[in-house]
Amino acid sequence: MKKFKIAVIAGDGIGPEVINEGIKVLNKVAELDSSFQFDFTYFPWGCGFYAKNRKMMDDDGIEQLKEFDAIYLGAVGFPGVPDHISLWDLLLKIRKNFEQYVNIRPVKLLKGAHLPLVDAKREDIDMLFIRENSEGEYSGAGDWLFKGREHEVVLQNSVFSRKGTERIIRYAFEIAKKEGRSLTSISKANALNYSMVFWDQVFEEVSLDYPEVKTTSYLVDAAAMLMIKDPKRFEVVVTSNLFGDILTDLGAALAGGIGLAAGANINPEREFPSMFEPIHGSAPDIAGQQIANPLAAIWSASQMLDFFGYESYGKLVLESIEKLLEEKAFLTPDMNGTSSTSDVGNRLVDLIKSLILSQNVTS
Ligand code: NAI
Ligand code: MG
């Protein structure tokens, strides 16, 4: 039997509450298919750990995580610890050390989820964002000169390497080719006259290797407008770290809200573990009340199933979420329901079980 070793960093606030439900789902799928199993190891890292130890994770944390097949992360961040510390000392440390240079964020409006646009059809909102996740505008390169003085200067540099730019664009082309969908590149070459001119040039070059993939390029400002006015133009989308960060929040709003938005941080070479997480944060305002929506965390668990090659189960988890949204009986308050976090997880596990048994899905 195959055994997948998962490192769980549930983190702060609602992190542990939503991750519990994702683990229920993964365990249920594994229980119904005798060919594989999950083995979860919990790490107590995050802001609570920081309060006691003045650090977000163990000094050899990266070394400890290396041996796992994947990382399942809730959220980190809590009042009392500056956000740039919780982000850079844990989340970004993992993304960078493990070369998780691909961030996959589905922007798909599931059946039963609220359609926020009056002029669009549900099927029109079905995008897959491939965001550069290792360099670009979030490279952390820069300086703060003459700090606090009258003539102080700050420099925040973007870094676009040929290797980094080419590999993310190529990854997106591979997905578009595999799925038989178009690929849209989003950049801003008119204003960013080095980095984005380069990005566009690399996109052109790589596209020559994929004559079967239909391509489009938009400036980021136009893309933001078109995502609202004509979302069906976007199928697979590739863009830089900053633009992807902003546009996928817009995407989350288009596709049912923050309670449904998931993201995978992938190291495609599988040299290091990849990391799966809901996009939302630790939501300190509702933490500990069992009212957080676990569906984003569960969607990211379905991305993990895809990543391990169990796409039929990944799809089935999404179908179960659609059923849950359509029946409307088990929803958390953010979706106008009255159910608790674990009620939603329990119902979903039941739906998964009956779908697997009725469809006879196997790996
Ligand atoms: P947030 O995503 O935690 O919350 C924003 C709003 O959405 C809040 O009103 C919250 O109650 C609501 N919300 C979020 N997730 C929800 C869920 N699953 N169900 C129901 N409602 C939900 O973003 P915010 O408030 O800006 O950040 C809070 C903390 O989380 C900060 O310390 C921030 O740095 C951290 N953060 C961590 C992230 C990560 O670990 N990947 C990502 C974003 C923020
Ligand atoms: Mg973001």
Side-chain angles (χ1 to χ4, degrees):
M1 188 198 304
K2 239 190 177 143
K3 212 174 210 170
F4 295 105
K5 293 176 65 182
I6 314 295
V8 180
I9 307 174
D12 308 306
I14 62 170
E17 298 170 58
V18 298
I19 286 299
N20 267 343
E21 306 311 313
I23 288 177
K24 272 186 205 165
V25 164
L26 290 169
N27 275 333
K28 178 53 77 180
V29 173
E31 179 193 315
L32 294 167
D33 185 319
S34 50
S35 74
F36 65 98
Q37 235 184 14
F38 293 104
D39 182 14
F40 298 101
T41 305
Y42 290 78
F43 292 87
W45 300 334
C47 291
F49 187 85
Y50 184 92
K52 284 186 223 119
N53 306 289
R54 312 310 293 169
K55 53 192 174 197
M56 291 294 293
M57 56 165 30
D58 287 335
D59 292 331
D60 64 346
I62 293 294
E63 210 47 49
Q64 291 183 42
L65 291 173
K66 258 187 194 152
E67 56 162 313
F68 289 87
D69 296 308
I71 301 163
Y72 191 32
L73 180 109
V76 288
F78 217 71
V81 180
D83 281 344
H84 68 272
I85 291 185
S86 52
L87 185 68
W88 276 96
D89 290 1
L90 195 137
L91 202 64
L92 292 184
K93 201 165 159 183
I94 294 173
R95 283 185 187 166
K96 281 177 197 290
N97 272 287
F98 291 157
E99 296 194 35
Q100 296 168 347
Y101 62 83
V102 181
N103 189 207
I104 303 183
R105 293 189 171 186
V107 176
K108 177 181 166 67
L109 190 68
L110 297 183
K111 286 181 209 144
H114 173 66
L115 171 64
L117 300 178
V118 281
D119 292 331
K121 294 199 289 286
R122 182 169 304 278
E123 317 78 77
D124 293 347
I125 301 173
D126 187 0
M127 321 172 190
L128 190 68
F129 266 79
I130 311 291
R131 165 189 170 196
E132 206 292 317
N133 210 29
S134 65
E135 52 172 39
E137 307 87 343
Y138 293 177
S139 67
D143 213 336
W144 196 319
L145 305 170
F146 318 113
K147 205 168 185 170
R149 313 256 292 276
E150 192 192 348
H151 56 300
E152 69 187 323
V153 176
V154 295
L155 303 166
Q156 184 87 49
N157 296 330
S158 296
V159 173
F160 287 81
S161 66
R162 174 163 284 277
K163 181 179 173 189
T165 307
E166 203 175 308
R167 68 187 178 183
I168 191 68
I169 289 175
R170 199 167 284 282
Y171 187 92
F173 268 106
E174 287 292 332
I175 297 231
K177 179 178 160 183
K178 185 171 145 216
E179 298 191 352
R181 303 214 290 166
S182 67
L183 178 63
T184 296
S185 162
I186 296 177
S187 61
K188 184 73 185 175
N190 55 350
L192 299 172
N193 54 339
Y194 298 106
S195 59
M196 289 296 162
V197 171
F198 177 70
W199 175 282
D200 284 355
Q201 181 193 313
V202 174
F203 186 75
E204 280 291 322
E205 283 169 23
V206 176
S207 74
L208 299 177
D209 293 340
Y210 298 88
E212 64 276 66
V213 176
K214 186 174 163 279
T215 60
T216 314
S217 287
Y218 294 122
L219 297 173
V220 64
D221 40 358
M225 180 189 68
L226 287 168
M227 277 175 70
I228 304 287
K229 289 202 65 149
D230 194 14
K232 65 177 176 308
R233 289 182 191 224
F234 299 88
E235 294 182 358
V236 181
V237 180
V238 65
T239 190
S240 70
N241 212 333
L242 169 69
F243 294 167
D245 190 6
I246 299 170
L247 291 177
T248 52
D249 265 30
L250 175 61
L254 283 178
I258 194 86
L260 268 175
N265 305 278
I266 303 287
N267 171 246
E269 291 75 22
R270 297 182 189 233
E271 195 184 339
F272 302 109
S274 292
M275 179 163 68
F276 300 82
E277 55 167 335
I279 286 180
H280 63 71
S282 58
D285 53 333
I286 59 165
Q289 301 174 37
Q290 270 289 313
I291 56 170
N293 190 340
L295 294 177
I298 291 170
W299 193 327
S300 65
S302 91
Q303 290 186 297
M304 195 191 293
L305 289 165
D306 292 346
F307 179 74
F308 286 141
Y310 300 106
E311 277 112 343
S312 53
Y313 289 129
K315 213 170 127 234
L316 190 133
V317 170
L318 288 190
E319 276 171 38
S320 308
I321 296 178
E322 290 187 318
K323 274 201 159 21
L324 181 117
L325 293 171
E326 283 179 320
E327 67 180 19
K328 290 189 169 38
F330 293 89
L331 297 174
T332 44
D334 58 303
M335 291 189 157
N336 298 320
T338 54
S339 300
S340 72
T341 307
S342 57
D343 286 341
V344 173
N346 292 341
R347 177 61 189 156
L348 200 72
V349 162
D350 286 343
L351 289 167
I352 288 171
K353 187 174 162 192
S354 56
L355 263 181
I356 291 187
L357 296 178
S358 70
Q359 297 184 358
N360 241 324
V361 177
T362 53
S363 48

